[in-house]
Amino acid sequence: MLIDGSHRKWFAASVVVLGLATVVFITYALGTPQGVSGRRGFGLVCGIIGFIFMLIAGFLGARKKVPVWRIGRMQTWMRAHLWLGFLSFPLILFHANFHTGGKLTTVLVWLFGAVFVSGIFGAAMQHILPHFYTTQVPMETIFEQIGHVREQLVAEAQQVIEEAATSLEGDYAKASEHQRAAAASAGTMGDFSVGTGLEADEQAAFELRKFFAEELKPFLESRSSRGATLREGAQAQAAFRQLRVLVPTSLESTLEDLENIYEETRQLDMQSRLHKALHLWLFVHVPLSYTLLLLAAIHAVVALRY
Amino acid sequence: MEYFARPHPLRRWRFVLSVAIPVIALVWLGAHWVISPEPFASGPVSPSHAAFGQKCNTCHTGVGGVYFRAVTEKACLGCHDAPPHHPNSVLFTPTCGSCHQEHRSRARLIEVRNQACIECHANLKTKSGATELLDVSAFVGKKHPEFYSNRGGYSDPSKIKFNHQVHVALGGCDACHSAAGLADAAGKDSKGLATLRPGTSVNAIGGAYMVPIKFADHCASCHADKLEFDKAILESVPHTTPAAIHAEIMKHAAGKDAQVASLEVALWEKCSFCHVLRISDNALPEVAKPTLKTRWFERASFSHEVHSPFSCQSCHAAAANSTKASDILLPDLAKCESCHRPGGARSGCYECHSYHDWTTRKPVAAPVDISEGLQEKIGPGENQSGKAMLAAAQ
């Protein structure tokens, strides 16, 4: 979610809450005999509010799972997740008086740190990467559909190649005896080398199939373009240029189709990478958030006991 | 379109991790729960209570049932004597735990935050309203009053005449001053009097306060154990009461009545070389009883042992030039502040001052015996303060 002007109220409220909490914390820390303690007074209040904020922020996951729940707009939940999650971390630090304490609380502090940092990283990614989507991946599709689309593209490319190669081979098969004789005598004429369209077509069909089998297909089928010959844009352009020399100009549209298939696949690869960059942080953020909420609840229960 | 039906590997792995990591955390906590409750503590137990191990209920004896088992005053006072702090003056008495905070760190529980003292002493009010104590809000930055004897108008109460300059030049400080305990370690001369071994450093011997200066133990080691007198009559006289000295002289002055008056004058002059005398016409002079102070901080403690790495002159520089016993040779507060400051040596109130009035100390009614496996004998959930713990141990 982009943090834009619509977040102004949340931002202002967060600044006010954080500012107030900071002032009270400093006052308590310097002005009371015990300093701030998570067991009582301001420290306890910070712990309770911080945990409630954590729960609200964590509830976003449940809200996403059941989008039909009519408990506030999704955007409101997203904003609450962002800002309350952000606020909860300093509040919990105030609650802990910036000490890690025992083993469980130490684990909690480090978990929260990891969740907080990964959350900030994720928010930053969501501001930076969408720009790349619009400029680098105009053929963007649904991420989960990429594999399916790629399979279709492979099949489409194979079909295009087969049709083009077959048409070239058909030309050779349909040639007259005279044409075949001329083709057989082709070689040099005076100072000029000459060839026949018939031999060239057969060769072009072979080259097309070879290009597809050895270069294009591995690239299209590869889940990642890494290792494929056509992974470099310049290399791909050179390969298509060479192919244009080999095939008759009548197949220009075929080559354009192949190039489009290649380009779409390349963009899908790019989309895959961007998607991973945009979502891999969730591998840290989400599991650790659940762990944090679970352990924090246990900590609260134990703290009530003692 | 069946890709919707099965989750993408990324989502699947995220789900797997979202389940696995919390489960691992639960297993970790559960394993600890079986072994010991240590991970659930809000911090490490202080060394003072380390003997109780993982038995939380030893101190957490609150009466809230399963929950809210806070540490009660009874739990603390069951084991510890805690004489009250000026019970007739203070407006309130804080709980033990509000000053001695457990589970904070490995620090000693005695290390109480300055704020615990400053809360009252920054603007001290008493039940009667009046107090002679000056306010204090910190040790450094002129927020602590100067030592009482350095405030001016204070005179040395020793009632003795002594020239530090001469004696320091002759034998240094440790020729006379030794920390408590030195007397036992010092040698004895042929007459059984304590002498200082050559080269003995007072700082090498432990002890907070200096051994009280006595003629027999200190002065006599250089000066004769008898006072020099007039060799024509009597070579020396014992260092005793004026009456005894006078009687001794009179005994030897028999038949020399003409000299008695002058002898008496000479005698009192000898005495007044060190002592303050009150001379009257018709009676023997009265010698003011020397009261040499061994403790100059009447409301604070100081350990010479702790400061033993430093030379005497580091703090008592004025001693080398002092010619009168009335000179106050106590270093001023600024001298202490030069080391005890933020970033330097500790400057907590508790370093010098004691909250509890240990002069009214009472033995603990039911000391805890942990020598025979107390921890095993006390089961969870029992009220184990003081007597209960002792009973359990027995």
Side-chain angles (χ1 to χ4, degrees):
Chain A
M1 176 180 225
L2 281 177
I3 300 174
D4 52 20
S6 64
H7 285 247
R8 201 172 290 123
K9 285 180 182 173
W10 283 94
F11 174 75
S14 299
V15 167
V16 169
V17 171
L18 185 59
L20 276 176
T22 305
V23 169
V24 177
F25 173 78
I26 292 170
T27 308
Y28 254 81
L30 299 178
T32 57
Q34 304 91 349
V36 175
S37 167
R39 296 168 185 272
R40 63 184 83 81
F42 173 72
L44 182 60
V45 169
C46 277
I48 292 170
I49 295 176
F51 186 52
I52 291 171
F53 283 3
M54 286 162 64
L55 287 174
I56 294 172
F59 198 71
L60 176 70
R63 178 69 180 81
K64 276 184 173 176
K65 292 280 181 203
V66 193
V68 292
W69 281 356
R70 294 182 179 277
I71 41 174
R73 293 166 58 218
M74 182 59 85
Q75 281 207 334
T76 309
W77 279 103
M78 278 299 298
R79 291 192 177 108
H81 178 85
L82 274 171
W83 293 104
L84 298 186
F86 176 80
L87 270 179
S88 62
F89 189 56
L91 288 179
I92 293 300
L93 288 180
F94 292 160
H95 164 69
N97 195 18
F98 291 91
H99 286 83
T100 51
K103 278 187 184 172
L104 175 59
T105 48
T106 301
V107 169
L108 280 171
V109 168
W110 284 107
L111 269 179
F112 208 166
V115 169
F116 184 74
V117 171
S118 60
I120 297 284
F121 176 80
M125 286 290 107
Q126 291 191 348
H127 281 75
I128 297 167
L129 291 185
H131 168 70
F132 286 95
Y133 271 92
T134 53
T135 56
Q136 304 288 320
V137 194
M139 294 179 182
E140 180 188 3
T141 187
I142 298 168
F143 175 73
E144 283 80 1
Q145 217 175 349
I146 286 178
H148 178 66
V149 172
R150 288 186 70 140
E151 286 171 10
Q152 286 182 327
L153 288 173
V154 173
E156 189 181 340
Q158 189 155 19
Q159 188 182 351
V160 168
I161 289 284
E162 279 306 317
E163 282 176 2
T166 306
S167 73
L168 288 171
E169 287 168 347
D171 287 348
Y172 186 77
K174 290 175 193 168
S176 63
E177 283 299 317
H178 175 73
Q179 285 173 311
R180 291 186 188 203
S185 63
T188 57
M189 189 178 286
D191 291 336
F192 298 99
S193 294
V194 294
T196 68
L198 289 175
E199 269 199 341
D201 286 352
E202 190 179 17
Q203 184 66 24
F206 174 76
E207 291 294 341
L208 266 178
R209 282 206 172 90
K210 187 181 172 193
F211 172 74
F212 178 73
E214 294 180 0
E215 297 185 23
L216 188 58
K217 194 178 177 192
F219 174 78
L220 297 181
E221 285 182 336
S222 168
R223 285 192 176 276
S224 163
S225 61
R226 285 177 192 172
T229 316
L230 298 180
R231 69 184 183 278
E232 298 293 338
Q235 208 171 348
Q237 281 180 358
F240 278 107
R241 264 201 310 273
Q242 192 179 0
L243 209 56
R244 278 196 169 81
V245 174
L246 291 172
V247 300
T249 52
S250 59
L251 291 179
E252 178 60 27
S253 63
T254 301
L255 288 179
E256 282 178 5
D257 284 348
L258 288 176
E259 266 190 306
N260 283 339
I261 290 170
Y262 162 79
E263 177 59 20
E264 188 172 348
T265 308
R266 194 190 63 76
Q267 288 191 22
L268 291 178
D269 274 348
M270 173 71 83
Q271 185 188 345
S272 263
R273 285 197 295 274
L274 288 174
H275 184 89
K276 283 173 186 168
L278 193 58
H279 291 86
L280 271 183
W281 63 275
L282 288 170
F283 277 73
V284 176
H285 191 73
V286 174
L288 294 192
S289 294
Y290 288 137
T291 313
L292 175 68
L293 287 175
L294 180 70
L295 295 187
I298 292 172
H299 166 69
V301 171
V302 173
L304 281 178
R305 181 169 162 78
Y306 293 108
Chain B
M1 298 296 281
E2 63 182 21
Y3 63 89
F4 272 122
R6 60 179 192 277
H8 190 273
L10 285 180
R11 283 182 183 277
R12 197 162 56 241
W13 274 108
R14 208 168 73 198
F15 174 77
V16 168
L17 287 175
S18 298
V19 173
I21 295 180
V23 167
I24 290 169
L26 273 182
V27 169
W28 170 71
L29 267 184
H32 271 93
W33 181 264
V34 173
I35 299 166
S36 81
E38 188 194 357
F40 300 97
S42 59
V45 178
S46 67
S48 313
H49 293 143
F52 298 122
Q54 308 301 327
K55 298 289 181 185
C56 310
N57 293 335
T58 305
C59 298
H60 289 273
T61 59
V63 290
V66 177
Y67 289 98
F68 305 109
R69 298 179 65 85
V71 176
T72 60
E73 294 289 271
K74 190 180 172 186
C76 303
L77 298 175
C79 297
H80 301 279
D81 180 33
H85 182 69
H86 304 301
N88 299 324
S89 304
V90 295
L91 299 177
F92 75 98
T93 298
T95 60
C96 304
S98 63
C99 295
H100 302 290
Q101 296 188 312
E102 184 54 278
H103 292 299
R104 276 300 174 98
S105 67
R106 295 285 180 198
R108 295 178 302 158
L109 286 176
I110 195 176
E111 292 174 1
V112 173
R113 297 178 82 227
N114 284 359
Q115 202 58 40
C117 307
I118 292 167
E119 187 182 27
C120 292
H121 281 269
N123 184 20
L124 193 60
K125 300 279 190 302
T126 62
K127 284 177 182 171
S128 61
T131 174
E132 60 178 2
L133 294 178
L134 300 178
D135 291 338
V136 54
S137 55
F139 184 65
V140 296
K142 300 189 186 303
K143 293 176 180 174
H144 185 291
E146 180 55 70
F147 300 136
Y148 180 72
S149 47
N150 285 341
R151 287 181 202 164
Y154 181 85
S155 60
D156 187 302
S158 62
K159 302 182 187 68
I160 200 88
K161 299 171 186 173
F162 185 79
N163 187 321
H164 270 98
Q165 185 181 40
V166 171
H167 288 82
V168 169
L170 284 173
C173 303
D174 53 4
C176 299
H177 294 292
S178 59
L182 179 62
D184 294 334
K188 303 280 184 182
D189 64 11
S190 58
K191 293 172 184 170
L193 297 173
T195 58
L196 294 168
R197 289 171 182 159
T200 300
S201 165
V202 291
N203 292 329
I205 310 288
Y209 300 109
M210 291 295 170
V211 173
I213 300 293
K214 292 179 180 173
F215 178 84
D217 295 342
H218 299 92
C219 310
S221 60
C222 293
H223 299 283
D225 62 325
K226 291 187 176 181
L227 301 176
E228 293 177 9
F229 197 60
D230 189 334
K231 291 181 179 177
I233 306 290
L234 184 62
E235 191 166 319
S236 63
V237 293
H239 184 250
T240 180
T241 61
I245 295 172
H246 188 259
E248 183 77 6
I249 292 172
M250 289 303 107
K251 193 168 69 181
H252 288 273
K256 302 171 185 172
D257 293 345
Q259 296 179 28
V260 168
S262 60
L263 282 173
E264 285 181 331
V265 172
L267 168 65
W268 309 137
E269 280 180 357
K270 287 280 183 186
C271 295
S272 63
F273 189 73
C274 296
H275 292 282
V276 175
L277 300 185
R278 187 189 297 163
I279 299 174
S280 55
D281 291 338
N282 302 318
L284 292 174
E286 191 179 326
V287 177
K289 183 176 172 58
T291 50
L292 296 170
K293 286 173 78 82
T294 53
R295 179 172 177 173
W296 284 80
F297 294 132
E298 293 179 359
R299 300 182 195 278
S301 59
F302 178 85
S303 173
H304 279 94
E305 180 189 20
V306 172
H307 296 83
S308 63
F310 311 109
S311 69
C312 305
Q313 285 78 12
S314 298
C315 300
H316 302 283
N321 300 313
S322 168
T323 56
K324 293 181 294 183
S326 59
D327 292 338
I328 306 299
L329 302 178
L330 190 73
D332 59 8
L333 190 73
K335 176 61 75 178
C336 303
E337 280 185 47
S338 63
C339 293
H340 294 274
R341 63 181 192 280
R346 291 179 299 197
S347 56
C349 303
Y350 68 89
E351 293 285 343
C352 302
H353 300 283
S354 176
Y355 172 85
H356 298 289
D357 181 6
W358 294 112
T359 59
T360 61
R361 184 177 207 154
K362 296 189 294 288
V364 178
V368 178
D369 181 3
I370 58 170
S371 61
E372 294 183 6
L374 167 70
Q375 293 177 34
E376 284 68 37
K377 291 181 180 179
I378 296 178
E382 295 174 20
N383 184 334
Q384 287 133 6
S385 68
K387 289 179 181 174
M389 283 193 287
L390 181 62
Q394 290 169 343

